[in-house]
Amino acid sequence: GAVVSQHPSRVICKSGTSVKIECRSLDFQATTMFWYRQFPKQSLMLMATSNEGSKATYEQGVEKDKFLINHASLTLSTLTVTSAHPEDSSFYICSARRGRAYNEQFFGPGTRLTVL
Amino acid sequence: KNQVEQSPQSLIILEGKNCTLQCNYTVSPFSNLRWYKQDTGRGPVSLTIMTFSENTKSNGRYTATLDADTKQSSLHITASQLSDSASYICVVSEGGATNKLIFGTGTLLAVQP
């Protein structure tokens, strides 16, 4: 159990377009979902934390109007990169937390975004 | 500032050999320490999670140790296999309501035949 999926796994888009990435907890309800960004040879950096039915909490330096997060249900969170630019090209990873226990956080497989 | 540092940055070993990866942290308050394996282009997969009171935890050929006094952890891989080639990330969870994860930069391990 505890599987988290992301869709799409890879996306290439033109500069100026918007891209939506989905994160789903397949076999559990996620009280909290997290979105991370990872640049090559660097560690994961938390972008935002979202709780179902409430607004996401963004980390310092992350533009909330550029990275729109919607946590519509206990099994689905979406990240929309609006007006994407080449510098937004990165590996985006979500994770989902089941319950409040410390060991109940599971990562998705990631989405590779390339903006041309 | 809460930080997690890992060494070495990269490591090449021959198949069948053992290796040990290091992690030092300055995170406070401390909740738990995790080791993840991240294959290229994939999300991290949990190997071990240790709380303050745990000194060692094993998962197959992976054994993690934790010294909460010196704020150090290690991950020992026994009898390495080609499939062990990946990035190994040490992650420390802050104590408190958020349990925010502080990520190390990882050790890139290459196992060669």
Side-chain angles (χ1 to χ4, degrees):
Chain A
V3 178
V4 177
S5 71
Q6 282 184 240
H7 178 80
S9 58
R10 290 176 178 269
V11 57
I12 301 173
C13 68
K14 293 182 179 180
S15 185
T17 61
S18 293
V19 175
K20 180 184 285 188
I21 302 170
E22 291 186 349
C23 176
R24 292 182 184 271
S25 55
L26 298 184
D27 50 3
F28 67 97
Q29 292 186 328
T31 55
T32 307
M33 286 185 169
F34 305 86
W35 286 97
Y36 296 86
R37 182 166 53 183
Q38 185 178 32
F39 292 107
K41 297 186 179 181
Q42 294 187 22
S43 189
L44 279 73
M45 293 186 62
L46 180 64
M47 298 175 66
T49 301
S50 72
N51 294 293
E52 184 264 341
S54 63
K55 290 184 178 180
T57 302
Y58 290 81
E59 294 298 301
Q60 191 173 8
V62 178
E63 300 176 56
K64 63 179 181 181
D65 294 329
K66 181 167 185 62
F67 298 99
L68 302 178
I69 292 173
N70 183 7
H71 195 157
S73 74
L74 285 172
T75 60
L76 173 64
S77 176
T78 60
L79 168 68
T80 301
V81 183
T82 62
S83 186
H85 291 282
E87 57 265 30
D88 297 325
S89 298
S90 187
F91 193 52
Y92 292 87
I93 303 174
C94 75
S95 71
R97 186 161 70 192
R98 176 178 66 186
R100 296 193 178 278
Y102 67 86
N103 60 344
E104 296 287 290
Q105 185 169 349
F106 307 94
F107 286 87
T111 296
R112 172 72 61 192
L113 170 63
T114 302
V115 184
L116 303 176
Chain B
K1 181 180 178 182
N2 287 336
Q3 285 187 317
V4 177
E5 295 183 348
Q6 293 185 241
S7 62
Q9 282 190 329
S10 61
L11 181 63
I12 301 174
I13 62 174
L14 293 177
E15 185 179 12
K17 298 296 185 182
N18 305 334
C19 66
T20 300
L21 314 180
Q22 301 292 339
C23 173
N24 297 329
Y25 62 93
T26 59
V27 178
S28 182
F30 172 91
S31 176
N32 59 80
L33 184 145
R34 312 151 182 237
W35 283 94
Y36 286 89
K37 178 186 179 186
Q38 185 179 22
D39 292 311
T40 302
R42 305 292 293 175
V45 175
S46 179
L47 296 175
T48 62
I49 301 177
M50 289 182 293
T51 59
F52 184 88
S53 59
E54 295 176 292
N55 300 120
T56 184
K57 183 164 281 189
S58 292
N59 178 1
R61 294 179 296 103
Y62 302 103
T63 299
T65 65
L66 174 63
D67 186 333
D69 292 330
T70 61
K71 298 187 177 181
Q72 295 179 326
S73 176
S74 67
L75 179 69
H76 186 74
I77 304 175
T78 304
S80 62
Q81 301 176 357
L82 298 179
S83 60
D84 292 333
S85 296
S87 180
Y88 291 84
I89 306 173
C90 176
V91 183
V92 179
S93 177
E94 286 184 349
T98 61
N99 280 327
K100 184 177 180 179
L101 300 184
I102 311 298
F103 289 78
T105 52
T107 292
L108 184 60
L109 174 66
V111 180
Q112 294 184 344

